[in-house]
Amino acid sequence: LEVFGELGGTVVDTAPSYGNAETVVGDLVHELGIRNELFFSTKVRTEGRDEGLAEIDRSFARVQTDTFDLLQVHNLVDTGTQLATLREMKEAGRIRYIGITTSSGRQYEEFAAVMRRETLDFIQVNYSLASRGAADEILPLAADRGMAVLANLPYGRGRLFGAVGDRPLPDWAAECDCESWGQFFLKYILGHPAVTCVIPGTAKPSYAADNMGAAMGGLPDTAMRKRMEEFYDSLS
């Protein structure tokens, strides 16, 4: 978190279902004194209004914050009920933005239906070189509806690193200032015009520094992104 902040990182995305992540992040951010520099996002994933309120209140306590920048309905669990609660909290000033999330292509049809039906500030969806299905309908729909996009699972749970193995970066990757495979994978996503932010899981300070490098320099244009796709597809 310290390296992330020093390099200009701001978005921290967590959830009650990520083990003790909210508590750990809350404690560390409090210790570092950087809460005001961060954009904090978490989620609600439960059935029922009362249960949702209780889970959200626990998130406020664990993260040690009075407000969340973004609160999302996680994996479309009881979406209508929880969105109603989030809108009330947004009106009360406890939440800046609201949204929905998924990390599964099996939910895309329902996800798109919610996007058409509801007024949302953000969506969060899995998108990577290994999983490009969101680009068919969800990302264009987000752009049309004015919804910011967080891209999760950008490394495909490690699948992309496994695919490239110990191969060197292709020389043409330097055209968009890629210095590592991680940056290659992240810049591919950031190059999509509908994507607002990528949220890679980050376990080490060196990973944080490398990930943040993807935010520096050039981004791939449409032709370069197509070349990246063809390169990755050739590996399988």
Side-chain angles (χ1 to χ4, degrees):
L1 277 167
E2 188 171 29
V3 170
F4 177 69
E6 288 173 351
L7 294 175
T10 57
V11 177
V12 175
D13 179 80
T14 185
S17 56
Y18 297 167
N20 63 345
E22 287 185 323
T23 299
V24 171
V25 170
D27 288 347
L28 293 175
V29 168
H30 180 73
E31 179 182 331
L32 291 167
I34 59 173
R35 172 64 187 92
N36 291 338
E37 285 74 55
L38 298 176
F39 181 103
F40 244 116
S41 168
T42 195
K43 307 175 184 75
V44 57
R45 182 185 181 182
T46 191
E47 300 275 354
R49 175 178 169 80
D50 291 344
E51 291 78 3
L53 283 166
E55 184 172 86
I56 293 167
D57 284 343
R58 288 192 293 270
S59 292
F60 276 103
R62 289 171 182 150
V63 179
Q64 303 176 47
T65 187
D66 295 325
T67 61
F68 277 109
D69 297 287
L70 171 62
L71 220 152
Q72 306 152 97
V73 179
H74 200 179
N75 290 337
L76 303 179
V77 175
D78 198 8
T79 306
T81 300
Q82 305 310 334
L83 279 179
T85 295
L86 297 186
R87 287 195 177 93
E88 292 175 6
M89 299 181 80
K90 181 180 177 181
E91 291 175 3
R94 299 188 71 193
I95 299 169
R96 290 177 63 195
Y97 304 112
I98 65 173
I100 58 174
T101 82
T102 188
S103 57
S104 171
R106 292 188 298 272
Q107 289 191 316
Y108 284 3
E109 183 176 354
E110 181 184 359
F111 198 83
V114 175
M115 290 174 66
R116 291 188 178 91
R117 183 173 68 244
E118 304 283 355
T119 300
L120 304 168
D121 302 308
F122 275 79
I123 64 160
Q124 183 182 138
V125 65
N126 56 305
Y127 183 55
S128 71
L129 271 169
S131 180
R132 305 196 288 264
D136 294 338
E137 180 179 15
I138 289 174
L139 297 185
L141 182 58
D144 289 343
R145 299 276 287 150
M147 298 171 183
V149 176
L150 300 182
N152 63 44
L153 302 182
Y155 297 140
R157 302 188 190 279
R159 178 180 170 188
L160 278 77
F161 289 110
V164 298
D166 57 1
R167 292 176 178 83
L169 281 170
D171 292 341
W172 48 265
E175 295 176 24
C176 56
D177 302 308
C178 293
E179 298 181 353
S180 68
W181 281 117
Q183 293 178 19
F184 184 94
F185 302 142
L186 295 181
K187 281 176 178 279
Y188 168 78
I189 302 168
L190 288 168
H192 193 292
V195 172
T196 308
C197 180
V198 183
I199 46 173
T202 307
K204 299 179 181 180
S206 60
Y207 295 172
D210 189 58
N211 289 342
M212 289 303 297
M216 312 300 174
L219 289 176
D221 59 14
T222 300
M224 175 64 77
R225 294 182 76 252
K226 181 65 174 176
R227 191 174 187 181
M228 290 170 151
E229 292 173 356
E230 292 172 348
F231 173 83
Y232 180 78
D233 292 345
S234 74
L235 302 178
S236 57

